[in-house]
Amino acid sequence: MQHTLFFPMMIHGFGFLSLSASLVLPWALTGLVQGQKITESLFKDVPQSSTVQEIPLPNRKLISRISTATTYYVSSNGNDRNSGLSTSSAFRTLQRAANLTNPGDTVLIMNGEYKNEPKNGAVLGIKRSGTANAWIKYKAYPGHFPKIQHNTWNGISITGASYIEINGLEVIGNNAHINYDYAYASSQNKEAQSNRLTNGNCISIEPGDKGRSHHINILNNKVHDCGGAGISAKQADYVKVDNNTVFNNSWYTVYGCSGISMLDNWSSDNKQGYKIFVTNNKSYNNRMYIPWFKAGKITDGNGIIVDVSKGYRGRILVANNITYKNGGSGIHAHDSQHIDIINNTAYLNQQSPEVKKKAKGEIYAGYSSDVKIFNNIMYASPGNAVNSNMKNVNVSYNYNVYSNNSTINITGSHDMIADPQFVNASARDFRLKSTSPAINSGLKWSSLTTDFLGNPRVSGYAPDRGAYENR
């Protein structure tokens, strides 16, 4: 487990110069184009006409806070000796841009394939933080679909950095260049835990020398074929993992990994509302083929897991996700607390025969407390457990739909045992037919106003169960 400047804004900031713009603004704009910080020295040699003298300058503190935000461009046809400040002078590597970023900066990534250097630990290693009002964003250039291909520890690593957004990228691991025989033979060696070819993660958030990460958004990415985790966060706070497609991960690692995992969540403050969101993701075919070295057996390969977070004071929302054919569970909470698992669809997970199926489930909590599992659809293989209640305290199941061929270990007063009537489950279309008993039968959840597709969550007199709201 792991792992441009805005001239309108700047001119607005210089509103106090409106009466003498012809004297000051050309010099000021030259400084802006060069991406320099605007300081009091900017005004040092301005001619002191009577007009200017009548307008008081802002105090030193106000001026020192005004700074520019830079947009860097990266292209597979670029060059790291370029300025990186336009599409025609783009950098070649993501790391070149990452090493220059300051709060408020954006890195726009153009089409192409970006790979790690042989000894690098990541294609993109992020250690520089933004601020609450000036995030650092790494985004696909509009209309482009860049690919990060790696055979090292991480495609993208965020290490101790905060106020970071990763948006619209495809991260591809090394699975295509590994087979089971190699991975299993490697797992028997003393060096197994340090083999980056088999253990590499796609996107990993981890603590660093300067502290732990918080305020991280992982949005709209395609993440697949990593031997280790797909998307993982360890000891982080204020994390949003939204609208990602995560598949074919965790195959060859000797660590216990999953498609999406939140591990050992850290409380950066004492707030108790929702601070971690895992929403609107599709997670499938993530599974372990190699035993976890600590347990000596296959334990994970889940679609989504919140793991070992009993001390976390914030609340976690896991909602509107679709998980199917993962080796472990579709979604589960292990040794954790303060979690709401709402309106998800889990279908034919628990594919790994090594997992003790009757003790787990499609969606479930174990060794956990204060967990609500409501409005979900759980469809298990015949004889497999659809849910469970292992050493939990204050864990509630209600308003769920369980397939009628499943082993059901616990039911709530409004749970339903029925065929959910998917449009075409074999084609992975988990929308509901108009005759589905899941329609208009859920419990309204005030914090959830849209469905998996972004449509309004209630289109009838009550919300539907599962990830989709019938239109």
Side-chain angles (χ1 to χ4, degrees):
M1 296 178 187
Q2 299 261 264
H3 276 109
T4 39
L5 303 176
F6 290 96
F7 284 144
M9 178 181 71
M10 290 299 126
I11 294 171
H12 174 76
F14 284 100
F16 58 87
L17 293 176
S18 58
L19 296 181
S20 58
S22 62
L23 292 175
V24 179
L25 205 50
W27 188 14
L29 292 183
T30 299
L32 286 174
V33 170
Q34 293 172 347
Q36 296 171 345
K37 292 184 178 179
I38 302 168
T39 65
E40 193 174 34
S41 64
L42 187 70
F43 305 95
K44 182 177 179 181
D45 297 320
V46 176
Q48 296 299 305
S49 69
S50 60
T51 304
V52 174
Q53 288 173 345
E54 293 172 1
I55 302 171
L57 291 175
N59 64 48
R60 183 183 303 271
K61 289 184 179 179
L62 176 60
I63 296 174
S64 66
R65 288 175 186 163
I66 302 172
S67 61
T68 60
T70 302
T71 296
Y72 294 106
Y73 298 84
V74 183
S75 167
S76 59
N77 297 317
N79 190 314
D80 280 355
R81 286 183 249 178
N82 289 340
S83 69
L85 298 177
S86 70
T87 57
S88 59
S89 62
F91 293 138
R92 173 63 182 88
T93 66
L94 300 172
Q95 197 59 50
R96 171 63 174 152
N99 291 343
L100 296 175
T101 53
N102 289 305
D105 290 351
T106 297
V107 178
L108 292 180
I109 305 167
M110 302 165 73
N111 278 339
E113 190 173 83
Y114 302 88
K115 296 184 177 182
N116 56 284
E117 295 296 327
K119 294 183 179 180
N120 283 9
V123 181
L124 172 58
I126 300 171
K127 295 183 179 181
R128 296 167 73 95
S129 295
T131 64
N133 296 319
W135 288 51
I136 297 175
K137 299 181 179 181
Y138 297 82
K139 302 169 64 175
Y141 184 87
H144 284 221
F145 303 93
K147 301 178 187 296
I148 295 175
Q149 170 77 62
H150 77 98
N151 63 357
T152 188
W153 284 109
N154 299 288
I156 300 174
S157 66
I158 302 171
T159 309
S162 299
Y163 300 106
I164 301 294
E165 178 180 304
I166 307 295
N167 195 332
L169 308 180
E170 181 173 0
V171 184
I172 309 164
N174 198 43
N175 284 0
H177 306 286
I178 299 291
N179 59 40
Y180 172 81
D181 290 340
Y182 169 80
Y184 183 79
S186 297
S187 72
Q188 304 304 299
N189 299 328
K190 292 181 180 179
E191 296 77 20
Q193 297 170 46
S194 59
N195 187 346
R196 62 180 68 190
L197 298 178
T198 56
N199 293 310
N201 311 296
C202 284
I203 300 177
S204 177
I205 306 165
E206 295 187 347
D209 294 338
K210 295 181 179 180
R212 290 169 282 197
S213 296
H214 56 87
H215 292 89
I216 307 292
N217 288 349
I218 309 295
L219 314 174
N220 310 310
N221 302 287
K222 186 177 180 182
V223 174
H224 60 98
D225 289 286
C226 286
I231 299 172
S232 65
K234 180 179 180 181
Q235 294 182 20
D237 197 9
Y238 289 98
V239 178
K240 178 184 288 186
V241 178
D242 183 77
N243 198 38
N244 301 280
T245 301
V246 182
F247 60 97
N248 293 357
N249 300 295
S250 307
W251 287 9
Y252 298 131
T253 181
V254 295
Y255 298 93
C257 293
S258 294
I260 300 173
S261 61
M262 301 289 111
L263 172 64
D264 193 15
N265 298 315
W266 161 64
S267 300
S268 62
D269 56 32
N270 290 318
K271 293 182 179 179
Q272 298 180 353
Y274 287 134
K275 299 199 295 176
I276 293 179
F277 299 82
V278 182
T279 51
N280 307 301
N281 302 287
K282 185 179 289 185
S283 184
Y284 63 93
N285 203 31
N286 304 286
R287 63 182 297 178
M288 293 175 63
Y289 288 99
I290 305 300
W292 180 26
F293 76 93
K294 282 189 175 181
K297 59 184 179 181
I298 290 171
T299 56
D300 288 80
N302 310 289
I304 299 169
I305 181 173
V306 180
D307 199 11
V308 192
S309 296
K310 268 282 181 69
Y312 186 61
R313 293 190 293 273
R315 197 156 195 91
I316 302 166
L317 179 64
V318 182
N320 288 343
N321 299 286
I322 298 172
T323 64
Y324 60 90
K325 293 206 169 180
N326 293 287
S329 66
I331 302 170
H332 84 266
H334 173 73
D335 196 25
S336 298
Q337 64 182 1
H338 309 325
I339 305 168
D340 296 327
I341 303 176
I342 313 297
N343 275 107
N344 302 280
T345 296
Y347 178 80
L348 298 183
N349 294 287
Q350 305 172 96
Q351 291 288 311
S352 295
E354 301 88 350
V355 176
K356 292 182 178 179
K357 299 174 183 178
K358 291 187 178 181
K360 298 202 173 187
E362 291 293 303
I363 299 176
Y364 77 100
Y367 303 90
S368 297
S369 61
D370 186 18
V371 180
K372 294 179 175 61
I373 302 175
F374 284 15
N375 289 355
N376 303 285
I377 296 176
M378 310 181 202
Y379 195 107
S381 299
N384 280 9
V386 73
N387 65 9
S388 60
N389 191 27
M390 297 187 301
K391 298 185 179 179
N392 292 318
V393 176
N394 190 25
V395 171
S396 303
Y397 292 82
N398 218 341
Y399 292 90
N400 302 296
V401 177
Y402 306 127
S403 56
N404 51 20
N405 59 2
S406 306
T407 299
I408 303 166
N409 292 313
I410 182 171
T411 56
S413 58
H414 295 90
D415 281 345
M416 181 187 303
I417 301 172
D419 181 357
Q421 298 185 32
F422 297 125
V423 168
N424 189 351
S426 62
R428 308 300 176 254
D429 186 346
F430 299 109
R431 292 174 299 161
L432 303 174
K433 295 179 179 178
S434 60
T435 54
S436 170
I439 293 175
N440 293 332
S441 63
L443 176 70
K444 183 172 176 56
W445 204 262
S446 60
S447 301
L448 198 60
T449 58
T450 57
D451 73 349
F452 175 79
L453 295 176
N455 296 318
R457 172 42 73 180
V458 181
S459 63
Y461 56 84
D464 300 345
R465 308 184 193 199
Y468 291 101
E469 183 79 7
N470 195 56
R471 307 302 298 158

